[in-house]
């Protein structure tokens, strides 16, 4: 009985501690939310992507580039700081020479079930899980939206106060703001503009709402700084049907009221995700040009491109008739498996314009990356000049004027027409011949110190868990920089006379230092050896086994799918996601098994079963397999590159060298955890609590082992959920 009471009290303390940790989540959940973010927003790989020429780079740096859509505010990252997670932030936007970025606000993302081709508002909402991890509003979609709006206002104020890497971030509210941004970019000032958009007004309208209620909600969004409004996202709502919803109806009465009010205020209407009937209805309703902020086209939709998500030719004709623009995305589900398909999609829209007798078909094409939208874009924002190279190096290259139109002039025209104070005439004068002063994308412009006193600084933010946050943040930034530089290093090495040894050395160093950053393998192996007794040889063997198995998994995956089956890179990434899901499922199952074993063993009396812990040999082997079966992402990238340049055997050798580096780093974590466990046990044994703990050794051992199992199960479950979402059910 006493054992059970003690165990009950310990569990109660753990629950209270968990509640306290959630309410002070900044340090405790940083890692988990970051891992979820990193899995949901990776970059894709296309070995056939062109290398920009000097002329391509010169043109790219001279353009005013506008991206109509990024979901960066959805994630708990500092917009002003370079992050290892996701796709976009101010430093990387600057490197890509983006002048104006649309920051759209997502409040609900239902899960697509594998057996369905439609989405429902009643489906499990992944944003609720994300909001829990981030400590954001969980139950009100309206509150979720305004939380993200406030985050952008905070970032703008902090940038003006001098935080970040020196680039000023602005909020574009009217024509005068856009005009000033254009002038400052032409003058070479280090400034990036942003506008806020809503992706789905799900809380607006419906049963019990009146016309006044709908108009009041749109007015409130305008007052908060929103200048783009999409009535739907990926499911039907009270404003309109969605092109991925079940009913896919047209604009409702409340939808018509919402769009008419938005247009009258100077909010640009975004019809991304809307049903074909809804698009047609909006085309008849609206007087000003609208946008499709991010999409692909159904014509020649090559898998993994999804036709329902994209525009039909009739949909595109509605946009052309309203003098609007189509923002073409960069991710495979929108455009297909290759970066070259981005240009093909744009060319298809332009051909429909020619067929309609338009004098300038490129007038209706723009950029809509969908960065940070739980997609896998094939072009990194910091290397956005690759897209300029795609447009100029295709067999039927676009003219320079076409490229300038697509890069920003078209989007500028629509925004300048619709913004308060704007008009079609003023938009043509402002946006027809945009130019920007070329700047070094790697160096911030000096002379911004005076901005610190221009406005009152942003409210001070709580800085909790500084040790954990700063340490992980430093490792994360280092890891991110290695990821960004790996391809460049490999490119240079492949052109060297001693390519093989250099690439192998790069693989080893990547494994050694990349493994020091946040990752589930380090968490699992550390938790295992903190919770279970073991000797250092077992730690070395386990670490080596994980690293070798990850390397072999990557080699087998690439060899089988690309070389033997002749499939595409995108298909390879899909298969890798499936392998990840299996690995994380095994990991979650392992953690739950250890937790159940600890609970069952903790409540049993040691007099009947002995005080000797159960053997951990099979559990250790299961842990090695569960962690190691997932192919290392760095190894996949290295193998893909060497396969593309004809050095695949060197890539295999470099992958094995990478495994050696990873094994050394994992061994450090494993043996360090062993030492910490031993030192803690020895210290407690010699303390005044030693006798008490000795009498309850069975319960304490079960508690420690159960905690380790809980950590492993939680990590595996969260990673499994993210991997399932990445497997094409989004």
């Amino acid at each position: 009985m006493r054992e059970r009471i003690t165990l009950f009290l310990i569990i109660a303390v753990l629950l209270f501690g968990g509640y306290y940790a959630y309410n002070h989540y900044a340090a405790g959940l940083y890692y988990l939310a970051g891992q979820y973010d990193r899995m949901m927003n990776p970059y894709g790989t296309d070995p056939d992507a062109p290398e920009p020429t000097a002329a391509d780079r010169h043109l790219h740096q001279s353009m005013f580039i506008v991206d109509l859509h990024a979901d960066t505010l959805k994630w708990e990252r500092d917009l002003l700081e370079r992050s290892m997670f996701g796709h976009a932030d101010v430093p990387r936007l600057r490197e890509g020479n983006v002048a104006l970025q649309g920051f759209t606000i997502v409040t609900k993302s239902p899960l697509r079930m594998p057996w369905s081709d439609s989405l429902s508002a009643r489906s499990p909402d992944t944003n609720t899980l994300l909001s829990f991890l981030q400590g954001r509003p969980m139950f009100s979609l309206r509150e979720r939206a305004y939380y993200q709006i406030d985050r952008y206002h905070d970032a703008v104020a902090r940038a003006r106060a001098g935080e970040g890497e020196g680039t000023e971030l602005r909020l574009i509210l009217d024509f005068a703001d856009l005009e000033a941004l254009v002038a400052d970019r032409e003058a070479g000032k280090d400034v990036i503009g942003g506008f806020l958009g809503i992706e789905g007004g799900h809380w607006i309208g419906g049963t019990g709402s009146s016309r006044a209620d709908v108009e009041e909600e749109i007015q409130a969004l305008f007052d908060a700084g929103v200048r783009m409004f999409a009535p739907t996202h990926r499911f039907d709502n009270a404003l309109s049907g969605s092109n991925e919803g079940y009913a896919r109806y047209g604009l409702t009465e409340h939808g018509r009221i919402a769009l008419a009010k938005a247009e009258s205020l100077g909010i640009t209407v975004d019809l991304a995700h809307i049903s074909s009937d809804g698009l047609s209805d909006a085309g008849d309703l609206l007087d000003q040009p609208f946008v499709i902020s991010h999409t692909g086209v159904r014509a020649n939709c090559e898998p993994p491109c999804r036709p329902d998500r994209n525009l039909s030719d009739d949909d595109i004709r509605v946009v052309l008739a309203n003098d609007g623009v189509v923002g073409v995305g960069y991710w495979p589900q929108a455009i297909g498996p290759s970066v070259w398909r981005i240009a093909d999609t744009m060319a298809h829209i332009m051909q429909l314009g020619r067929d309609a007798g338009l004098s300038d078909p490129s007038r209706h094409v723009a950029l809509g990356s969908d960065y940070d939208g739980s997609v896998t874009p094939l072009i990194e924002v910091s290397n956005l000049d690759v897209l300029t190279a795609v447009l100029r190096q295709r067999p039927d290259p676009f003219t320079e004027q076409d490229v300038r139109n697509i890069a920003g002039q078209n989007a500028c025209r629509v925004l300048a027409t619709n913004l308060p104070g704007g008009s079609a005439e003023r938009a043509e004068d402002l946006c027809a011949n945009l130019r920007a002063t070329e700047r070094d994308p790697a160096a911030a412009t000096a002379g911004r110190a005076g901005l610190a006193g221009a406005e009152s600084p942003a409210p001070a933010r709580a800085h909790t868990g500084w040790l954990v946050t700063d340490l992980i943040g430093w490792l994360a930034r280092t890891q991110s920089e290695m990821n960004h530089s790996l391809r460049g290093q490999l490119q240079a090495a492949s052109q060297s006379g001693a390519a093989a040894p250099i690439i192998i050395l790069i693989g080893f160093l990547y494994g050694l230092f990349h493994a020091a950053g946040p990752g589930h393998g380090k968490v699992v192996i550390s938790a295992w050896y903190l919770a279970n007794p073991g000797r250092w040889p077992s730690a070395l063997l386990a670490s080596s086994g994980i690293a070798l198995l990850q390397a072999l998994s990557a080699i087998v995956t690439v060899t089988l799918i690309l070389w033997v089956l002749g499939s595409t890179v995108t298909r390879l990434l899909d298969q890798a996601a499936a392998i990840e899901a299996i690995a994380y499922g095994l990991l979650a199952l392992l953690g739950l098994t250890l937790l159940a074993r600890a609970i069952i063993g903790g409540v049993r009396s040691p007099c009947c079963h002995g005080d000797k812990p159960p053997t951990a040999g099979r559990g250790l082997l299961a842990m090695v397999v569960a962690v190691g079966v997932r192919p290392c992402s760095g190894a996949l990238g290295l193998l893909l590159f060497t396969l593309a340049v004809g050095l695949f055997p060197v890539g295999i050798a470099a992958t094995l060298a990478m495994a050696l580096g990873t094994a050394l780093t994992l061994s450090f974590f494993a043996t360090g955890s062993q030492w910490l466990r031993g030192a803690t046990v020895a210290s407690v044994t010699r303390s005044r609590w030693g006798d008490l703990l000795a009498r309850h050794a069975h319960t304490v051992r079960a508690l420690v082992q159960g905690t380790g199992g809980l950590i492993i199960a939680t990590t595996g479950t969260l990673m499994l959920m993210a991997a399932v979402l990445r497997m094409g059910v989004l």
Side-chain angles (χ1 to χ4, degrees):
M1 177 62 71
R2 187 165 52 188
E3 291 281 348
R4 295 186 180 184
I5 293 175
T6 302
L7 183 62
F8 174 81
L9 291 175
I10 292 174
I11 291 175
V13 170
L14 287 175
L15 289 174
F16 176 81
Y19 175 79
Y20 182 86
Y22 175 71
N23 282 277
H24 300 78
Y25 77 99
L29 292 185
Y30 173 88
Y31 172 79
L32 296 178
Q35 287 295 303
Y36 184 87
D37 185 352
R38 185 171 68 174
M39 289 196 63
M40 296 306 297
N41 295 298
Y43 272 115
T45 303
D46 186 353
D48 295 329
E51 182 69 21
T53 65
D56 295 334
R57 293 191 178 97
H58 174 77
L59 174 60
H60 185 83
Q61 289 298 318
S62 71
M63 293 191 297
F64 186 92
I65 298 173
V66 182
D67 180 3
L68 290 172
H69 193 97
D71 294 334
T72 309
L73 295 174
K74 175 181 175 180
W75 307 95
E76 197 66 21
R77 298 183 238 124
D78 189 341
L79 194 60
L80 304 183
E81 301 290 338
R82 185 184 305 275
S83 175
M84 72 174 290
F85 308 129
H87 304 142
D89 45 52
V90 168
R92 286 184 283 178
L93 289 171
R94 186 189 189 283
E95 290 175 352
N97 196 38
V98 175
L100 180 59
Q101 177 66 59
F103 291 102
T104 41
I105 293 164
V106 180
T107 58
K108 189 169 185 176
S109 300
L111 181 65
R112 181 196 289 272
M113 298 304 174
W115 55 83
S116 175
D117 61 355
S118 301
L119 284 156
S120 167
R122 295 184 296 273
S123 300
D125 177 29
T126 59
N127 266 31
T128 300
L129 169 64
L130 183 62
S131 297
F132 169 78
L133 290 177
Q134 297 171 332
R136 295 185 179 190
M138 289 182 58
F139 304 109
S140 169
L141 301 186
R142 190 179 193 275
E143 289 182 10
R144 290 184 194 177
Y146 281 92
Y147 182 95
Q148 295 180 55
I149 291 171
D150 290 343
R151 288 192 73 234
Y152 188 78
H153 283 284
D154 174 71
V156 169
R158 289 189 294 109
R160 184 166 291 277
E163 292 191 35
E165 298 187 8
T167 301
E168 182 187 359
L169 179 66
R170 295 180 185 172
L171 175 61
I172 303 302
L173 295 175
D174 54 29
F175 180 87
D177 289 339
L178 181 57
E179 188 176 39
L181 176 67
V182 169
D184 287 344
R185 293 284 298 191
E186 288 181 349
K189 291 187 178 180
D190 189 14
V191 57
I192 292 175
F195 61 87
L196 291 170
I198 296 292
E199 189 171 21
H202 311 306
W203 68 94
I204 301 174
T207 304
S209 296
S210 65
R211 167 185 287 271
D213 293 333
V214 173
E215 292 184 339
E216 182 179 344
E217 288 288 355
I218 300 298
Q219 181 69 56
L221 289 172
F222 176 84
D223 293 342
V226 171
R227 293 297 181 268
M228 185 172 286
F229 179 77
T232 59
H233 191 192
R234 305 184 65 212
F235 56 95
D236 305 329
N237 64 16
L239 302 180
S240 180
S242 165
N243 57 12
E244 294 182 89
Y246 276 91
R248 307 187 185 187
Y249 43 79
L251 282 179
T252 66
E253 182 60 28
H254 284 166
R256 293 175 182 274
I257 294 169
L259 296 194
K261 180 64 174 179
E263 184 178 63
S264 70
L265 291 172
I267 298 176
T268 297
V269 172
D270 176 11
L271 298 178
H273 293 287
I274 202 168
S275 66
S276 292
D277 287 345
L279 179 59
S280 178
D281 291 343
D284 294 336
L285 173 73
L286 299 173
D287 296 321
Q288 300 297 335
F290 56 79
V291 304
I292 311 292
S293 64
H294 60 301
T295 189
V297 298
R298 294 182 188 175
N300 303 315
C301 189
E302 179 183 350
C305 172
R306 295 180 186 149
D308 286 353
R309 166 64 183 81
N310 295 330
L311 297 179
S312 68
D313 287 357
D314 286 341
D315 294 336
I316 296 169
R317 292 186 183 101
V318 174
V319 181
L320 300 179
N322 284 266
D323 202 25
V325 297
V326 177
V328 176
Y330 312 159
W331 72 102
Q333 285 73 22
I335 51 96
S338 168
V339 295
W340 298 101
R341 289 285 299 150
I342 301 173
D344 294 343
T345 300
M346 294 174 175
H348 180 78
I349 298 170
M350 293 164 64
Q351 183 59 50
L352 290 177
R354 292 188 189 93
D355 295 343
L358 300 180
S359 59
D360 184 5
S362 69
R363 177 182 174 87
H364 304 283
V365 183
L367 306 182
S369 66
D370 201 18
Y371 285 139
D372 292 314
S374 300
V375 295
T376 310
L378 297 176
I379 295 178
E380 296 185 40
V381 66
S382 55
N383 295 321
L384 197 57
D385 54 1
V386 172
L387 178 56
T388 301
V390 167
L391 302 184
R392 287 167 54 86
Q393 295 183 26
R394 65 192 303 264
D396 184 14
F398 293 171
T399 67
E400 179 180 329
Q401 188 58 52
D402 288 344
V403 175
R404 289 186 179 276
N405 287 346
I406 293 167
Q409 294 184 174
N410 295 335
C412 175
R413 170 182 58 81
V414 173
L415 293 171
T417 300
N418 293 330
L419 281 168
S423 66
E425 295 75 16
R426 299 190 75 185
E428 292 293 344
D429 291 341
L430 177 66
C431 305
N433 294 289
L434 292 176
R435 294 292 188 275
T437 298
E438 292 189 51
R439 60 177 65 84
D440 178 4
T445 301
R448 291 197 60 247
L451 284 172
E455 290 184 4
S456 58
R461 295 171 296 153
H463 192 60
T464 58
W466 65 268
L467 180 60
V468 174
T469 303
D470 288 356
L471 178 59
I472 292 180
W474 176 81
L475 290 171
R477 285 190 295 272
T478 302
Q479 190 179 59
S480 178
E481 290 168 2
M482 291 181 62
N483 279 331
H484 284 294
S485 64
L486 178 60
R487 180 177 178 181
Q489 293 170 345
L490 291 173
Q491 188 87 33
S494 67
Q495 299 170 359
S496 168
I502 294 176
I503 291 176
I504 291 172
L505 178 61
I506 290 173
F508 171 75
L509 294 176
Y510 182 89
L512 186 67
F513 293 108
H514 183 269
H520 78 287
K522 292 167 284 298
V523 173
V524 172
I525 200 167
S526 298
W528 176 273
Y529 280 108
L530 283 172
N532 296 282
R535 300 178 182 274
W536 65 265
S538 73
L540 297 181
L541 286 174
S543 301
S544 301
I546 290 172
L548 180 61
L549 190 55
Q550 282 190 329
L552 293 177
S553 179
I555 293 170
V556 170
T557 300
V558 173
T559 302
L560 180 63
I561 296 176
L562 286 187
W563 206 351
V564 176
L565 299 181
S567 189
T568 64
V569 171
T570 303
R571 180 63 177 167
L572 168 69
L573 297 176
D574 289 342
Q575 295 299 318
I579 296 172
E580 279 187 341
I582 295 171
Y584 293 139
L586 293 173
L587 200 60
L589 182 61
L590 171 65
L592 291 173
T593 301
L594 295 176
L595 179 60
R597 181 184 297 171
I599 293 174
I600 295 172
V603 299
R604 288 179 177 174
S605 172
C607 68
C608 303
H609 298 275
D611 199 32
K612 187 175 181 180
T615 177
R618 286 180 296 177
L620 180 62
L621 178 61
M623 185 268 291
V624 170
V625 172
V627 177
V629 73
R630 171 185 175 269
C632 172
S633 57
L636 287 175
L638 189 151
L639 289 166
L640 287 173
F641 177 84
T642 53
L643 180 63
V645 298
L647 295 173
F648 191 59
V650 176
I652 293 176
T655 300
L656 296 175
M658 184 183 295
L660 176 60
T662 301
L664 292 175
T665 302
L666 287 180
S667 296
F668 171 80
F669 281 96
T671 55
S673 299
Q674 283 183 326
W675 174 86
L676 181 60
R677 184 183 194 280
T680 302
V681 170
S683 176
V684 171
T685 302
R686 291 193 298 268
S687 72
R688 60 178 179 172
W689 302 100
D691 292 340
L692 176 64
L693 293 175
R695 291 195 299 271
H696 300 285
H698 189 77
T699 301
V700 173
R701 182 182 298 113
L703 177 62
V704 173
Q705 292 175 341
T707 302
L710 180 61
I711 293 173
I712 294 172
T714 302
T715 302
T717 300
L718 290 173
M719 298 299 103
L720 173 62
M721 294 175 69
V724 169
L725 295 176
R726 292 292 325 141
M727 287 172 58
V729 296
L730 271 174

